[in-house]
């Protein structure tokens, strides 16, 4: 999952970046509204966290312009304490949820998970498919009730395919949504990860959880239970 953080307070921004990276997100960050708008308009994002009080371009204008450009990923706004007008403005401009400062990082992460799964039509934090369960809170995966040990990168890949279940996801999309701009990206490495993920989830090749569509990408080929 790829997240944008637009926040002008350096220490809070650093905390957000660290918390999201630890939670497995690829993170882009901006310290003011103009750069934030550029990133919000051009990056392949899954979610954005936008402070409303920003230099150069305020958060409400940033959100309004982003929505005018038809970007529909969920947006969570950060607001100062007791400023209810700002929350209303943010929601009216197209934000999906808000948090009042100061907040607990755990709450922010829980709200992001909820936004992401609701956007994709899941109602609970465990994504269930045939015999595969993905607990997005604990970041744990089970097949037939048995825990499967995945690396952080394998988990991210599976969670991204799962939350977009049924859709064909190209390699370019996976690289965009799982890596940050300046990291080394290689489609061959991605193929290795997919192969390993298949071996771990389906050693007997009975489940066939990930389908390869030649020249188009990958698809989670299991039936959704919830
Ligand atoms: Ca601010």
């Amino acid at each position: 999952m790829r997240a944008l953080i637009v926040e002008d307070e350096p220490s809070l921004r650093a905390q957000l970046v660290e918390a999201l990276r630890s939670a497995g997100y690829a993170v882009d960050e901006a310290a003011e509204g103009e750069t934030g708008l550029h990133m919000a308009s051009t990056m392949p994002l899954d979610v954005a966290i936008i402070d409303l009080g920003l230099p150069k371009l305020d958060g409400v204008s940033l959100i309004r312009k982003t929505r005018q450009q038809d970007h529909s990923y969920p947006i969570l706004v950060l607001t100062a304490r007791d400023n209810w007008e700002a929350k209303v403005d943010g929601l009216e401009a197209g934000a999906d949820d808000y948090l009042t400062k100061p907040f607990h990082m755990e709450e922010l992460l829980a709200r992001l998970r909820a936004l992401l799964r609701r956007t994709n039509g899941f109602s609970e934090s465990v994504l269930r498919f045939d015999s595969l369960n993905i607990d997005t809170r604990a970041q744990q995966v089970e097949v037939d009730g048995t825990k499967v040990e995945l690396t952080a990168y394998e988990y991210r890949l599976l969670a991204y395919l799962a939350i977009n279940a049924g859709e064909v996801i190209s390699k370019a999309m996976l690289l965009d949504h799982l890596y940050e701009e300046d990291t080394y990206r290689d489609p061959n490495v991605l193929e290795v990860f997919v192969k390993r993920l298949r071996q771990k989830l389906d050693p007997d090749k009975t489940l066939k959880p990930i389908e390869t569509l030649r020249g188009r990408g990958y698809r989670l080929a299991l039936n959704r239970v919830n």
Side-chain angles (χ1 to χ4, degrees), residues 6-9 12 31 51-55 78 80 101:
V6 190
E7 167 60 65
D8 57 319
E9 286 171 43
L12 178 57
D51 178 36
L52 290 185
L54 290 171
L78 304 177
K101 296 178 189 176

Side-chain angles (χ1 to χ4, degrees), residues 22-156:
S22 307
Y25 292 83
V27 182
D28 299 294
E29 56 176 306
E32 38 77 15
E34 277 178 10
T35 307
L37 177 62
H38 175 71
M39 290 179 146
S41 311
T42 56
M43 297 293 197
L45 299 173
D46 297 296
V47 66
I49 300 161
I50 296 174
D51 178 36
L52 290 185
L54 290 171
K56 295 198 185 177
L57 180 71
D58 67 274
V60 169
S61 303
L62 194 172
I63 294 164
R64 195 172 291 125
K65 287 179 187 207
T66 302
R67 291 304 191 216
Q68 279 165 359
Q69 294 167 357
D70 284 337
H71 298 290
S72 61
Y73 50 78
I75 296 176
L76 181 133
V77 295
L78 304 177
T79 67
R81 203 181 178 84
D82 296 333
N83 191 350
W84 66 267
E85 294 98 332
K87 289 171 198 162
V88 172
D89 288 348
L91 294 170
E92 296 281 1
D96 299 278
D97 197 1
Y98 64 84
L99 260 182
T100 305
K101 296 178 189 176
F103 52 84
H104 289 281
M105 214 46 93
E106 268 309 307
E107 181 176 4
L108 178 119
L109 294 173
R111 283 177 188 247
L112 292 184
R113 285 194 298 270
L115 282 173
L116 286 165
R117 66 173 193 256
R118 267 189 255 128
T119 304
N120 294 283
F122 289 92
S123 55
E124 52 174 307
S125 60
V126 181
L127 314 180
R128 300 175 199 278
F129 303 87
D130 297 329
S131 56
L132 171 72
N133 286 347
I134 301 168
D135 183 332
T136 58
R137 183 172 187 190
Q139 304 207 344
Q140 285 183 357
V141 173
E142 284 181 1
V143 175
D144 286 326
T146 304
K147 196 176 159 193
V148 180
E149 294 290 346
L150 298 181
T151 63
Y153 188 76
E154 289 161 354
Y155 174 82
R156 276 201 232 179

Side-chain angles (χ1 to χ4, degrees), residues 204-222:
D204 316 328
K205 298 192 168 60
T206 48
L207 187 63
K208 299 197 187 319
I210 302 168
E211 192 182 356
T212 302
L213 294 105
R214 196 167 288 279
R216 292 173 61 205
Y218 301 106
R219 174 164 62 192
L220 192 82
L222 304 175

